[in-house]
Amino acid sequence: MPRPREEFEDLRSFEFRDPEEVLEDDYLYTVYEIARLLQGVDPDREMDAETEAILLDWAIPWMLDNSEAFVFAEPDAEDEPGYYGLQ
């Protein structure tokens, strides 16, 4: 349900970083690792499923919006995520 604006003390500009600011050229990452990096979290850090889902809610639209900057590599197995890196 929407909340009145005055209930919030801290309103910030909505900005996303460019892929080159988040990822290193020589590596490929899973979408889960990219989601962590976007939030400034170590890509190897373990997270609970609920927190990871929230991070993915931010990462997936960002990746779609910047799709021209990415390449894709197939996963090692069908039940594993694929890998993404800079074009």
Side-chain angles (χ1 to χ4, degrees):
M1 171 162 227
R3 293 173 49 190
R5 187 180 186 100
E6 60 270 0
E7 286 184 13
F8 298 92
E9 291 180 25
D10 183 24
L11 296 177
R12 295 172 274 160
S13 297
F14 190 70
E15 297 177 12
F16 281 117
R17 295 181 287 167
D18 290 328
E20 296 80 14
E21 296 175 286
V22 178
L23 307 177
E24 294 185 36
D25 288 332
D26 297 336
Y27 292 95
L28 295 177
Y29 305 85
T30 67
V31 68
Y32 302 101
E33 293 165 334
I34 293 171
R36 291 182 190 107
L37 288 168
L38 277 170
Q39 298 299 321
V41 176
D42 185 317
D44 295 324
R45 181 176 167 188
E46 289 293 322
M47 299 192 136
D48 61 84
E50 290 175 5
T51 301
E52 194 154 64
I54 291 169
L55 296 185
L56 287 174
D57 285 347
W58 287 88
I60 292 169
W62 176 81
M63 290 179 70
L64 290 172
D65 190 49
N66 291 287
S67 62
E68 73 284 344
F70 291 102
V71 293
F72 174 80
E74 293 291 333
D76 294 329
E78 282 188 31
D79 61 343
E80 294 181 13
Y83 288 86
Y84 303 87
L86 295 175
Q87 185 78 308

